[in-house]
Amino acid sequence: MSLENLLASARSWIADDPDAATRAELEAVVARAEGGDDVAAADLADRFAAFLEFGTAGLRGALGAGPNRMNRVVVLRAAAGLTRYLQDSLARRDVTVVIGFDARHNSDVFAADTAAVVTAAGGRALILPRPLPTPVLAFAIRHLGADAGVMVTASHNPPQDNGYKVYLGDGSQIVPPSDVEIAAAIDTFPTAASVARAEDGWETLTDELAADYVAACAAAVGAPAAELSIVHTALHGVGSATLLEAFEAAGYARPRPVASQEQPDPEFPTVAFPNPEEPGAIDAALELARETSPDLVIASDPDADRCAVAVPDPKAATDADPQGWRMLRGDEVGALLGHRALGLITTGAATGADGGPGVVANSIVSSRLLGTMARAAGVPHEETLTGFKWIARVRDIAYGYEEALGYCTAPAVARDKDGISAALAVAELAAGLKADGRTPVDLLDDLARKHGVHASDSFSIRVSDLALMPALMGRLREQPATQIGNVVVAAFHDLAKGDGGLPPTDGLRYLLADGTRVIVRPSGTEPKVKVYLEAIVHVDGDDLAGARTQAAERLAATRAAMEALTAL
């Protein structure tokens, strides 16, 4: 687009934008671009490159003015499109939408705009009373009998981002073709001016809703088998108060919060990237753990739908860290909670969400260990596409997880990943182990001896130009590797073609002759391509250390080869 056309588009946007702050922001960029500032012209080009795409993850992007940013114009159009989709698909005007929001910049504004749009269109809008975790919104949809839910959050993205996550009436996130149909409905509202907004008329829910969620989480676990001490960090998100209340309601000691990260703060001042998976994110929690020697460290991501766990491991002890604190990988927590779930299912203490005996599930990029454990226990297991929008839809699910720290341990509470109920489930498991003089590390060792060492790793290729993502995937498809790390590729699946028995998705899967698995897929929410690795080595006798060494060597060789193959 020429600079002249960009300036014209920007002026039209300014005239339509109801927000004074983003109008002023864009006016300043326009003025600099008109004055010959090349940086400002490039900024304009990026802001108007396209409309922020609505997909199965809803919307997510940097805050700012323009169609390629998160702002009130984009949210008003999205709310109008969602409401029209619901009214058309349900064949009635009086649709009910429950709306939640976190503590990020403008989350409350976007939530109020959504309520105003739903109300003006003849629907009923119910808005949560304050910034609350995403799983509270997921719970509220079915608890209140709503037709859909909207959560305004960017989860663990950087501070400059925000997002708009959409759920339908079954309490799970949207999947195709709903995303395409909602996007088409959004397109029927080309401007903010084309969207009607009510001045009032929506309902703000009371704290009774949050209390009902806390009670449901508490009811999903048993009483602690032993006294347990826990350090918790909310990473400046909205999870602290709700998690502490849930622990108390379930009869567990309230975790000790990391004071510097306990209160919501949209700037996330003490972490470079508010994702507990990122190096350094839980350093403050680990520092407090070294001072206080708890049994566990639990970290919530900013909207508290994910749960990270760190444990003391004597094998990792050093002079500076005599307890040997280490963060468990998502697949390790997935296996621990899977062990818990399989025990509940096989004893009849837990059933599936749809009334049957129960199924366990995990995403395709997660470890194959849960499937092996389920087969040994005689419990059905399903593998799904990546994302809880797919895991939560497994019929009769009793437990599901994905390696990116997402766990559904109580599908009757929230049919989505839920970092609050997952934290309680981790505590219940750890307390039971402690009563027997054992630890989560001991249980992981037992699972490895029985089912083999399942060692996993992952890395990401971040891009500044989104066009590099399809280019990389295309290159890997056109030149499929026949060997990776000097090991023959026994099978290559192009997941976009539906290879491997799953619905088509953009991804590649390599199965190597030694049992190692590699999956490459572009992220649906961030500008990066992710590579997932898993090596399996069976334990010979009791030589667990030897099996782990062998698995680590396989992973290292595979990772080095894949880093070379995916280099930009």
Side-chain angles (χ1 to χ4, degrees):
M1 189 185 300
S2 69
L3 179 58
E4 183 179 350
N5 288 336
L6 280 173
L7 292 170
S9 296
R11 292 188 187 100
S12 295
W13 186 275
I14 290 167
D16 183 53
D17 191 346
D19 190 276
T22 45
R23 285 200 307 271
E25 172 192 315
L26 192 54
E27 284 168 349
V29 177
V30 167
R32 292 197 302 273
E34 285 181 314
D37 186 328
D38 291 340
V39 173
D43 185 12
L44 269 187
D46 185 58
R47 290 170 185 263
F48 287 85
F51 273 95
L52 203 61
E53 184 176 354
F54 185 94
T56 55
L59 296 165
R60 195 176 293 185
L63 290 160
N68 198 27
R69 298 287 188 273
M70 278 296 297
N71 51 64
R72 292 184 64 194
V73 177
V74 167
V75 167
L76 289 167
R77 294 178 64 247
L82 172 62
T83 306
R84 176 166 290 180
Y85 162 81
L86 292 171
Q87 291 173 328
D88 289 348
S89 60
L90 298 174
R92 53 183 171 83
R93 292 188 73 232
D94 61 337
V95 296
T96 299
V97 181
V98 59
I99 305 154
F101 56 100
D102 66 10
R104 285 178 178 267
H105 293 298
N106 269 10
S107 286
D108 56 344
V109 175
F110 296 158
D113 277 342
T114 301
V117 171
V118 172
T119 303
R124 181 185 179 207
L126 309 173
I127 192 165
L128 268 56
R130 53 189 167 86
L132 285 164
T134 291
V136 178
L137 182 277
F139 165 80
I141 297 165
R142 289 190 298 165
H143 187 65
L144 300 174
D147 298 303
V150 170
M151 183 67 194
V152 183
T153 179
S155 188
H156 54 276
N157 275 38
Q160 65 267 23
D161 288 1
N162 213 326
Y164 199 81
K165 185 182 291 188
V166 175
Y167 298 75
L168 294 183
D170 62 356
S172 56
Q173 298 174 51
I174 57 171
V175 296
S178 296
D179 58 333
V180 175
E181 293 167 357
I182 294 170
I186 292 171
D187 287 342
T188 65
F189 297 92
T191 61
S194 65
V195 178
R197 284 179 284 158
E199 294 295 327
D200 52 35
W202 55 89
E203 179 181 346
T204 300
L205 299 167
T206 68
D207 276 334
E208 183 179 351
L209 184 278
D212 288 345
Y213 166 79
V214 164
C217 287
V221 296
E227 187 176 342
L228 205 66
S229 59
I230 299 174
V231 162
H232 173 252
T233 175
L235 293 182
H236 302 294
V238 295
S240 184
T242 304
L243 183 140
L244 298 180
E245 290 164 9
F247 269 73
E248 187 170 34
Y252 288 72
R254 286 168 70 98
R256 180 172 182 168
V258 176
S260 63
Q261 299 174 335
E262 182 180 9
Q263 297 303 317
D265 188 330
E267 292 297 322
F268 303 99
T270 68
V271 287
F273 203 109
N275 179 353
E277 288 184 291
E278 293 289 328
I282 68 165
D283 281 359
L286 295 179
E287 182 178 346
L288 181 58
R290 294 183 185 106
E291 296 171 2
T292 59
S293 301
D295 297 295
L296 293 173
V297 168
I298 291 177
S300 305
D301 73 333
D303 68 329
D305 64 349
R306 301 180 192 226
C307 174
V309 180
V311 296
D313 182 354
K315 295 187 292 292
T318 65
D319 290 340
D321 182 12
Q323 286 184 289
W325 282 97
R326 72 177 179 94
M327 182 170 162
L328 298 180
R329 296 189 64 84
D331 282 321
E332 292 177 307
V333 178
L336 292 171
L337 292 176
H339 173 82
R340 170 185 178 272
L342 291 169
L344 294 173
I345 294 168
T346 54
T347 59
T351 58
D354 301 301
V359 176
V360 297
N362 58 266
S363 64
I364 188 175
V365 298
S366 302
S367 173
R368 290 164 285 179
L369 177 56
L370 180 62
T372 300
M373 293 164 57
R375 285 188 292 274
V379 172
H381 168 265
E382 288 196 25
E383 189 176 67
T384 74
L385 295 179
T386 305
F388 260 86
K389 56 184 174 284
W390 299 108
I391 297 171
R393 280 182 161 74
V394 170
R395 178 155 184 81
D396 217 28
I397 189 168
Y399 168 68
Y401 95 94
E402 61 182 359
E403 54 76 43
L405 308 182
Y407 313 96
C408 178
T409 60
V413 177
R415 201 138 182 176
D416 193 18
K417 57 181 177 288
D418 180 350
I420 307 294
S421 59
L424 276 173
V426 168
E428 180 191 55
L429 176 74
L433 290 167
K434 185 177 181 180
D436 294 334
R438 288 160 46 78
T439 70
V441 172
D442 295 328
L443 178 53
L444 288 171
D445 287 348
D446 288 348
L447 294 174
R449 290 187 185 98
K450 183 175 182 179
H451 303 293
V453 172
H454 287 63
S456 57
D457 192 10
S458 64
F459 66 93
S460 298
I461 304 99
R462 290 191 173 271
V463 299
S464 54
D465 180 356
L466 293 180
L468 294 174
M469 293 166 66
L472 172 57
M473 297 300 294
R475 189 182 82 209
L476 294 175
R477 284 187 170 96
E478 292 162 10
Q479 303 170 17
T482 57
Q483 285 192 344
I484 296 176
N486 295 322
V487 180
V488 171
V489 176
F492 172 71
H493 298 147
D494 186 345
L495 301 178
K497 297 178 179 178
D499 293 352
L502 289 169
T505 186
D506 190 5
L508 304 170
R509 179 169 58 187
Y510 307 81
L511 299 175
L512 308 191
D514 63 1
T516 300
R517 185 192 66 186
V518 177
I519 295 177
V520 184
R521 61 175 286 271
S523 171
T525 57
E526 297 179 76
K528 62 185 181 182
V529 173
K530 300 188 73 174
V531 180
Y532 306 83
L533 316 168
E534 183 181 35
I536 302 175
V537 176
H538 293 284
V539 180
D540 185 11
D542 197 40
D543 187 13
L544 183 55
R548 285 198 165 126
T549 298
Q550 186 178 352
E553 290 171 350
R554 286 187 188 177
L555 272 187
T558 306
R559 175 166 179 156
M562 289 307 301
E563 286 177 341
L565 279 173
T566 57
L568 296 175

